Amino acid sequence: MSTWIEKGADTTIASANTADVVFKLECRRLPVDHAAELANGICTLVPWLVDLPLAGIHSVHVAGSQNGWSRPDGQSGEWLELSRRTRLRIRVPIDRASQLINDIENSQLDVAGQNMRILTANVKELFAGTTLFARYTFFDESNHPEESENEFLARVINVCESSGFTPNKLMCGRTQTIQSADGPLLTRSVLLDDVPIQHSLRLQDTGIGDKRLLGCGIVIPHKDTAAVN
């Protein structure tokens, strides 16, 4: 299901309040569904992340699943084979980026029985793209398979309107289940196009929905809609 209404674009650029801290890794492999174990490990090293509503931990992605629409289901038992180019990305308020680096750079974690060394980091500013994508979107009040795509998209629209605009081009993508301490979470991917540029960074700051530390609701720029057609 999709909604697609032509509309003009705005070119005013705003400033972001958050940024992605990107860490080099040494880790051989991870299960596809590793979000909960990764979050537990990171929050053990950095417990103050739990108190930051804007903080989020990106699930680790590798070549072949970067667009998030062909990634194997977490229940498949498959593993992600990590390369030297694989990165760990954590979104935090810009004024906490240096503290995050100091707290976890050159640390070591056990994630699902796999040794992960977190190495050097750099800060990547958010880009005000007009095409935005959330790989996993979850709303606390709607964790049931009976919710229709229209109901899900209505929730997304409400979030966008709270950020100051009504989306006119959005697509609902595949569903995936993420295991958590609260049980399985049914997530959906969503893509928004023609996002007014003055609202792009704000939506990336606030995200869409809940469970940000499990990688849900983290909004990133997307090159175009070709990868989801």
Side-chain angles (χ1 to χ4, degrees):
M1 184 271 177
S2 63
T3 299
W4 209 267
I5 305 170
E6 293 298 334
K7 186 178 180 180
D10 197 315
T11 57
T12 306
I13 299 177
S15 298
N17 295 314
T18 61
D20 283 335
V21 183
V22 183
F23 294 89
K24 291 183 178 180
L25 289 178
E26 285 184 0
C27 184
R28 180 168 166 262
R29 65 177 190 164
L30 289 173
V32 171
D33 186 359
H34 57 266
E37 296 219 30
L38 180 62
N40 288 340
I42 295 297
C43 291
T44 297
L45 294 174
V46 196
W48 49 263
L49 276 182
V50 178
D51 299 321
L52 297 180
L54 298 184
I57 302 173
H58 295 255
S59 291
V60 175
H61 279 249
V62 297
S65 62
Q66 288 300 319
N67 59 34
W69 293 72
S70 60
R71 187 179 178 91
D73 187 271
Q75 308 306 304
S76 66
E78 294 185 44
W79 290 76
L80 301 175
E81 302 296 329
L82 278 54
S83 72
R84 293 182 178 180
R85 294 183 179 181
T86 304
R87 298 290 185 263
L88 169 67
R89 291 172 168 82
I90 302 177
R91 184 162 297 180
V92 291
I94 291 173
D95 61 0
R96 304 299 289 273
S98 295
Q99 182 181 359
L100 177 67
I101 293 171
N102 290 337
D103 285 352
I104 69 172
E105 197 173 52
N106 298 314
S107 296
Q108 190 163 299
L109 292 176
D110 181 292
V111 181
Q114 303 298 308
N115 183 56
M116 175 185 287
R117 291 188 60 207
I118 302 173
L119 306 176
T120 57
N122 63 78
V123 178
K124 182 179 180 182
E125 295 182 358
L126 303 186
F127 167 68
T130 58
T131 303
L132 301 177
F133 182 56
R135 291 186 174 102
Y136 316 101
T137 307
F138 174 82
F139 294 93
D140 279 335
E141 67 273 21
S142 65
N143 189 27
H144 54 85
E146 292 80 15
E147 181 175 61
S148 69
E149 290 186 3
N150 282 338
E151 291 171 321
F152 168 78
L153 288 175
R155 296 183 189 276
V156 175
I157 291 170
N158 286 339
V159 171
C160 294
E161 290 179 340
S162 296
S163 292
F165 75 101
T166 299
N168 59 299
K169 294 182 180 180
L170 62 161
M171 293 181 179
C172 180
R174 68 183 296 187
T175 61
Q176 292 207 64
T177 300
I178 294 176
Q179 297 301 320
S180 77
D182 300 321
L185 309 179
L186 181 66
T187 74
R188 296 176 187 263
S189 55
V190 63
L191 181 140
L192 299 95
D193 195 31
D194 262 9
V195 176
I197 199 165
Q198 75 270 29
H199 297 293
S200 174
L201 293 178
R202 182 177 180 184
L203 188 60
Q204 291 179 65
D205 279 339
T206 59
I208 299 174
D210 305 294
K211 305 296 184 185
R212 203 82 74 247
L213 296 180
L214 294 177
C216 298
I218 301 177
V219 178
I220 60 175
H222 198 278
K223 291 182 180 179
D224 54 46
T225 60
V228 300
N229 290 334

